[in-house]
Amino acid sequence: MEKYWNKNMECATRDEMRALQSFRLSQTVRRVYENVPYYRERMEKAGVTPDDIHSVDDLKKLPFTMKQDLRDTYPYGLFAVPMDQVVRLHASSGTTGKQIVVGYTQNDLDVWAECCARALTAAGADNKDFMHVSYGYGLFTGGLGLHGGAEKVGMTVIPVSTGNTNRQINIIKDFGSTFICCTPSYALYLAETMEEMGITKDDIKLKAGLFGAEPWTEEMRQEIESKLGLKAFDIYGLTEIIGPGVAFECSEQTGMHINEDNFIAETIDPDTGEVLPEGEQGEIVFTCITKEAFPLLRYRTRDIGILKREKCSCGRTLIKMMKPAGRSDDMLIIRGVNVFPSQVESVLLQLGNTAPYYQLIVDRVDNTDTLEIQVEISPEMFSDTVKSLEDQEKIIKNAIDSTLGISAKIRLVEPKTIQRTEGKAVRVIDKRK
Ligand code: DLL
């Protein structure tokens, strides 16, 4: 039996949801127009006023908001309430550029906890479960975001944060954690460390995990599930919109339901800004329609994804986004060809014989882009003959070249060579920059 946290919202009819979205959108636009001079100026320039926004169909009249707008108004220029109503700040540095700051009212924190509570409930959690939170606590939204959701569900929350992997495993074992959340790459590192400590999946009680904050493939899901003995669910979000819980997976596991009563999603052509029909791949854009302190309008996420509204066996009617292939700014252009690190991950894990650790090293030699892929081999392979390693290298090279459409140099490296991370994995080193 599928469990819901808020069945009214998660299973609303299309008409009910659209009416609610339209109402909330027009209210948010008016509030933002009245309280945020930056937005008012942008809207005036675009020739729109709140009186032009009556329904979701009018969304396209509004200008986009970009990360640069957040930087230009740093730190509080886009806040829509006085600071005495702001009870929490979070920040995100990203890999490049100045950090951005976001704020929450008490009501925003409640909305956020509800979004995460829906995700946890969809993964099967209830108040009898123990929740091990290995996302970082602090300015990063992962730790405190899922913490709030788990408390709302009434789970016994274990706020471990990142670090000291051996200790984390002892806690999972001794405290009887049944749920865990961390990045998918850290989940694998936990599995690897567990093996070194001689602890098997039968010694722990984990039954499900919520993994996100970075792209990961179906193959990686299978790897995590078999090594940790749990069911792995995807969870998506970004600091600018609220944090984790913007979208979450249900038992069907064919995409993530977007919490549409709080965030309206669109896909656009990243080059022209044109809105694409549902089902077409494009850049995902979100508009917050319940946030008080930091309600972004038409925020361009840079995440490349597909929106699908199909009947889901879980009973939820919330639109789904397919696993993002990656970010348009993570996408590498190598000799003119678009390459996502997730394509490499998928090939490697399908082939087997390698550990799920890899890094793409891109450089420019004599004006030509080069791509080297360092791949960790499994400890079993490591003890093989040179000949069989060479054969393996060839097999990987052929598979990678035909998937990516460009030629890559494959370098097999010893187990444990590629650095493990507690947060988001570093998949690319681009020396051209
Ligand atoms: O990563 C929030 C989060 C925490 C999500 C914990 C899920 C779990 P940021 O640090 O602002 O926030 O990074 C947001 O991470 O735009 C995507 O590019 C990427 N991302 C997040 N979740 C997923 C996912 C958090 N499930 C950026 N799959 C987003 C693929 C994801 N990419």
Side-chain angles (χ1 to χ4, degrees), residues 150-337:
E151 276 189 351
K152 203 170 197 84
V153 172
M155 300 171 85
T156 307
V157 188
I158 312 166
V160 193
S161 194
T162 52
N164 201 336
T165 306
N166 284 48
R167 178 169 162 266
Q168 299 238 4
I169 289 162
N170 285 328
I171 290 174
I172 292 173
K173 187 164 150 280
D174 298 346
F175 293 13
S177 313
T178 54
F179 271 70
I180 183 165
C181 59
C182 58
T183 57
S185 49
Y186 190 61
L188 276 180
Y189 182 38
L190 277 171
E192 186 182 64
T193 310
M194 225 167 82
E195 213 173 298
E196 282 169 10
M197 291 167 70
I199 294 174
T200 72
K201 58 185 178 190
D202 299 327
D203 300 323
I204 58 171
K205 293 194 184 141
L206 289 179
K207 24 179 221 203
L210 271 67
F211 307 111
E214 64 185 9
W216 54 307
T217 54
E218 275 310 317
E219 291 80 11
M220 182 102 155
R221 187 200 315 260
Q222 283 159 23
E223 194 88 16
I224 294 172
E225 290 189 337
S226 76
K227 290 197 161 145
L228 287 176
L230 48 68
K231 199 162 161 57
F233 291 86
D234 204 352
I235 179 161
Y236 169 89
L238 60 164
T239 315
E240 296 91 316
I241 297 304
I242 206 161
V246 173
F248 61 95
E249 241 178 13
C250 62
S251 54
E252 191 178 282
Q253 299 198 307
T254 53
M256 293 177 275
H257 290 285
I258 296 172
N259 278 310
E260 275 189 287
D261 49 326
N262 298 302
F263 317 107
I264 305 179
E266 302 168 276
T267 28
I268 60 160
D269 177 326
D271 297 324
T272 63
E274 185 202 339
V275 179
L276 299 173
E278 278 169 15
E280 268 186 42
Q281 188 178 57
E283 180 178 341
I284 311 258
V285 173
F286 286 110
T287 297
C288 303
I289 49 171
T290 46
K291 291 266 294 295
E292 294 175 339
F294 197 74
L296 291 185
L297 302 181
R298 298 195 90 198
Y299 183 66
R300 291 185 57 162
T301 61
R302 298 282 167 205
D303 289 323
I304 303 296
I306 300 175
L307 298 177
K308 274 196 189 158
R309 193 179 293 286
E310 282 167 6
K311 201 169 160 44
C312 187
S313 61
C314 76
R316 288 180 185 78
T317 50
L318 300 171
I319 196 167
K320 283 202 249 188
M321 62 184 274
M322 301 303 114
K323 224 176 202 339
R327 298 172 59 80
S328 58
D329 41 12
D330 274 356
M331 185 182 78
L332 292 159
I333 303 183
I334 303 173
R335 278 172 256 143
V337 176

Side-chain angles (χ1 to χ4, degrees), residues 3 5 121 124-131 150-157 178-179:
K3 289 192 285 187
W5 179 257
T121 309
D126 62 28
N127 59 3
K128 290 187 260 333
D129 283 300
F130 289 71
M131 171 69 156
E151 276 189 351
K152 203 170 197 84
V153 172
M155 300 171 85
T156 307
V157 188
T178 54
F179 271 70

Side-chain angles (χ1 to χ4, degrees), residues 8 38-39 56 80 107 110 126 218 233 241 270 280 303-304 310 313 318 374 377 400 413 421:
N8 279 347
Y38 190 85
Y39 266 123
V56 179
N107 190 60
D110 292 343
D126 62 28
E218 275 310 317
F233 291 86
I241 297 304
E280 268 186 42
D303 289 323
I304 303 296
E310 282 167 6
S313 61
L318 300 171
Q374 297 192 353
I377 47 176
I400 295 268
V413 296
T421 47

